[in-house]
Amino acid sequence: TFRVDITALLKEQNELTVIADNSKNDFVYPQKADFTFYGGIYRTVSLLVVSKDHIALDHLGGPGVQITPTVQGANADIRVETRVNGEGEVAISILDAEGREVLAGKGGDTTLTMEYPHLWDGIRGPYLYTCVVRLMKNGQPVDEVRQRFGHGLVAGADAHGVAIVAQLRQPQFQHALLGVVLGGVGDADG
């Protein structure tokens, strides 16, 4: 994922053209490989319009919010780091799977503690919370980001570096396929 801020290039009337160029260059990996090269645009392209004060969209292609849940015995600490462009106060709500607020806090780098969290447990119980981060100005929301997350215990990582998260019981996954599948055609790596 990547984003480009085109604000300085805009005029009263605009035409936006997105072009893919798969020609050889020296600054994009890979140049040689033992797998099939892909080129072109095969994901959705979106035009995002935000106010001057907004949750940062230009930080490493992410949503501007990083959530780090850590299980500590019967509790879980949820660190929410928010990057902001402009001004405003950050308000955080943690919603359970039914959409009810279970925690709230404020600040750009905040840790909230949840007592007895419902742990994510693979296929048996893929329970997810939603973190709602709002940028507030004069008591009104000017931007909002929602991200789902789960609490669990990291049991390790697969060969691709993907964290396997589950309560420590019998293994949930023997092998996972990663890849892109579009219209029933795709490539899996696993």
Side-chain angles (χ1 to χ4, degrees):
T1 299
F2 69 93
R3 295 187 174 100
V4 178
D5 184 354
I6 61 170
T7 305
L9 304 173
L10 296 177
K11 300 175 181 160
E12 191 168 320
Q13 294 287 318
N14 300 279
E15 179 177 329
L16 179 63
T17 305
V18 180
I19 299 171
D21 180 357
N22 202 33
S23 59
K24 184 175 179 179
N25 63 65
D26 293 330
F27 57 90
V28 176
Y29 173 84
Q31 294 301 310
K32 295 180 182 178
D34 60 352
F35 53 87
T36 305
F37 283 91
Y38 294 97
I41 299 171
Y42 56 94
R43 301 271 189 196
T44 302
V45 175
S46 301
L47 181 63
L48 304 174
V49 179
V50 296
S51 71
K52 182 180 90 169
D53 301 308
H54 60 276
I55 297 170
L57 296 169
D58 56 356
H59 182 74
L60 303 176
V65 176
Q66 181 176 337
I67 303 163
T68 308
T70 307
V71 176
Q72 303 285 342
N75 297 333
D77 290 331
I78 306 159
R79 183 176 180 192
V80 182
E81 299 170 84
T82 307
R83 291 167 181 83
V84 173
N85 287 345
E87 298 177 5
E89 181 178 278
V90 175
I92 302 162
S93 294
I94 305 295
L95 311 178
D96 66 13
E98 288 75 39
R100 295 181 299 249
E101 184 177 82
V102 293
L103 284 174
K106 293 184 178 200
D109 187 351
T110 302
T111 299
L112 306 171
T113 300
M114 179 181 292
E115 295 180 353
Y116 305 104
H118 190 140
L119 298 180
W120 184 89
D121 189 19
I123 295 170
R124 289 186 194 152
Y127 193 92
L128 295 176
Y129 291 88
T130 300
C131 179
V132 181
V133 178
R134 292 182 181 94
L135 183 62
M136 308 294 288
K137 200 157 185 197
N138 300 320
Q140 298 297 315
V142 294
D143 198 7
E144 178 179 297
V145 170
R146 288 175 176 255
Q147 278 190 275
R148 292 171 46 161
F149 70 98
H151 295 291
L153 303 172
V154 177
D158 69 8
H160 303 284
V162 176
I164 305 298
V165 181
Q167 292 182 46
L168 298 178
R169 296 184 185 159
Q170 63 183 356
Q172 297 290 318
F173 304 104
Q174 295 298 321
H175 192 82
L177 294 177
L178 305 174
V180 175
V181 177
L182 297 172
V185 178
D187 178 38
D189 176 14

